[in-house]
Amino acid sequence: MNLVKFNSISQDKQLDVTMTLGVLLIECRRFNFTLRLFQIQKFYIEVYSTEESGEVIAINAFEDIDSLDSYLEQIDISKLVV
């Protein structure tokens, strides 16, 4: 699966592929949403869902690693630093 193929399928299939093949990297809360970041091969998928019902409202896939900056700031590496 590559990004072009992923973007060409329906949102329902994107969600199925993400949950089957994706590796969950981080989960966070933004405003009233739960945001989960997954990785499949060389691209990333953001899955936005409501906090109340868990309903998926948007899926965004990208390859640009600069888009990961906001996630990297949330990762606590203090236990890894000697």
Side-chain angles (χ1 to χ4, degrees):
M1 175 74 56
N2 62 39
L3 181 61
V4 172
K5 184 169 183 165
F6 183 85
N7 282 332
S8 71
I9 60 179
S10 70
Q11 182 171 315
D12 288 339
K13 289 189 182 204
Q14 287 178 344
L15 187 58
D16 288 341
V17 168
T18 300
M19 295 305 163
T20 303
L21 301 177
V23 175
L24 179 64
L25 301 176
I26 193 168
E27 180 177 310
C28 55
R29 308 264 186 286
R30 291 192 183 162
F31 305 103
N32 292 327
F33 302 106
T34 298
L35 177 55
R36 291 177 184 88
L37 178 68
F38 293 86
Q39 181 179 11
I40 297 177
Q41 296 178 355
K42 295 181 179 182
F43 67 97
Y44 302 91
I45 303 104
E46 295 172 315
V47 178
Y48 294 83
S49 56
T50 61
E51 281 191 41
E52 294 174 5
S53 68
E55 176 187 1
V56 173
I57 56 168
I59 296 175
N60 178 46
F62 59 91
E63 290 178 318
D64 178 23
I65 60 172
D66 290 337
S67 298
L68 298 175
D69 287 346
S70 65
Y71 295 103
L72 296 175
E73 294 169 1
Q74 297 180 44
I75 298 172
D76 179 9
I77 62 167
S78 63
K79 294 181 182 177
L80 301 175
V81 179
V82 180

